[in-house]
Amino acid sequence: MMTIINIKKFFRANIRKNLLLVFLILQFAACSKNQVFKTETFKTTSGWGYSIAYKDQIIIKQSVIPVINDSKSFATEEDAHKLADLVVKKLQQNISPTVTKNDLILLKIKF
């Protein structure tokens, strides 16, 4: 016959195991969700561009600044990276990844 102390030990051990399992599952889900999109910058003949991959397949390759009339690359690698991050945020929120001139101004991207 189990004593009250043994019963408490049994339930404490199971609760700890279940909490650990839930924690590990949540960590895995969080990590795998953040790993879906991958951005990379690359050098062009006149500046910088960026690409965005989804599950290791390139879905966007942008070698010029979108929304402006000129076919001009990003002046700095940082500018290309800032816009790539914005596009990824939009994709993660399931909204159109379209970029506006206002986005460029808010990110302080020179064009």
Side-chain angles (χ1 to χ4, degrees), residues 14-92:
N14 280 339
I15 289 172
R16 282 188 206 139
K17 287 177 190 173
N18 288 336
L19 286 175
L20 180 61
L21 179 63
V22 168
F23 177 75
L24 290 173
I25 290 171
L26 290 175
Q27 284 289 14
F28 178 75
C31 289
S32 64
K33 188 174 183 179
N34 291 336
Q35 299 292 328
V36 175
F37 292 102
K38 181 180 177 188
T39 62
E40 287 185 2
T41 56
F42 57 88
K43 189 81 172 123
T44 66
T45 55
S46 61
W48 290 90
Y50 68 86
S51 64
I52 299 172
Y54 178 75
K55 296 183 179 177
D56 295 327
Q57 189 168 15
I58 293 177
I59 57 170
I60 297 174
K61 186 170 186 176
Q62 192 71 49
S63 58
V64 296
I65 302 172
V67 219
I68 63 170
N69 294 332
D70 296 335
S71 292
K72 202 167 129 181
S73 293
F74 294 91
T76 66
E77 183 178 16
E78 181 186 3
D79 286 351
H81 192 67
K82 285 192 286 189
L83 196 60
D85 287 344
L86 174 68
V87 172
V88 166
K89 284 180 188 173
K90 288 182 175 190
L91 289 168
Q92 288 172 335

Side-chain angles (χ1 to χ4, degrees), residues 4-19:
I4 293 177
I5 295 172
N6 287 339
I7 292 172
K8 285 182 181 180
K9 284 182 183 178
F10 174 78
F11 282 112
R12 272 194 213 129
N14 280 339
I15 289 172
R16 282 188 206 139
K17 287 177 190 173
N18 288 336
L19 286 175

